[in-house]
Amino acid sequence: MTLDILKGSGGLRAVKVLSNGKRRFDPVEKDRLIDAAMKPGVSVARLALAHGVNANQLRNWVKLRRDRQAQGGLTVVAGQETSAFVPVVAVLPISRQPDMPARPSSAGMRVIASLPNGVRLELEDVDERALSAMIEVLGRCNVPAG
């Protein structure tokens, strides 16, 4: 029986029906139906309905086929084998303006901060960047008076 897959010329031929009602389909016709369902723009639900198969069953067959192809590392696209790996292109980093030369920090700089909740913070030999970051963080804190 030749099966015009996309036009739905009839149901998918069952080669065996089990005692619980499950059907086993002709593997060649089933493969052609899965191939047709994997084509872009094809409605899997319409294709399944036209061939007497549950749409979820056909989706499951398609998923299993894709998983099997992904496991193999190669997929077949229009008769060509393509690698499952994407080529990586190395790009040079964007050139940036050189950082401003660091000003010499004051040796022996000491900062003491007493917070309203009684916490006392002492910093010694701190560079200006770290001190600036610390002040910014402390400024964002809403510390209740203790």
Side-chain angles (χ1 to χ4, degrees):
M1 168 182 167
T2 57
L3 190 61
D4 187 3
I5 294 294
L6 292 175
K7 293 189 178 161
S9 63
L12 192 59
R13 186 167 56 100
V15 293
K16 186 175 185 179
V17 179
L18 302 177
S19 61
N20 61 1
K22 291 184 178 183
R23 300 174 290 170
R24 299 288 181 237
F25 297 100
D26 179 24
V28 174
E29 292 178 9
K30 179 179 164 183
D31 284 341
R32 285 199 287 178
L33 184 63
I34 294 168
D35 289 340
M38 292 176 72
K39 290 184 180 177
V42 173
S43 168
V44 174
R46 181 177 289 156
L47 194 62
L49 182 65
H51 291 89
V53 179
N54 186 295
N56 290 327
Q57 180 65 58
L58 183 54
R59 283 188 190 95
N60 189 36
W61 290 341
V62 169
K63 180 185 179 306
L64 289 172
R65 167 82 61 85
R66 286 190 175 129
D67 289 348
R68 233 180 295 130
Q69 286 177 343
Q71 264 183 344
L74 292 177
T75 56
V76 178
V77 178
Q80 294 179 323
E81 289 186 5
T82 58
S83 174
F85 296 101
V86 178
V88 176
V89 179
V91 180
L92 296 174
I94 299 172
S95 63
R96 297 182 183 173
Q97 294 290 342
D99 288 338
M100 295 296 289
R103 286 182 266 162
S105 63
S106 312
M109 184 156 82
R110 182 175 181 184
V111 177
I112 301 173
S114 296
L115 302 178
N117 64 355
V119 174
R120 184 178 168 156
L121 179 66
E122 292 187 35
L123 300 172
E124 289 191 38
D125 295 329
V126 176
D127 69 336
E128 292 173 10
R129 286 184 184 177
L131 181 61
S132 175
M134 182 64 70
I135 290 172
E136 182 182 341
V137 170
L138 289 174
R140 283 188 252 148
C141 295
N142 186 11
V143 180

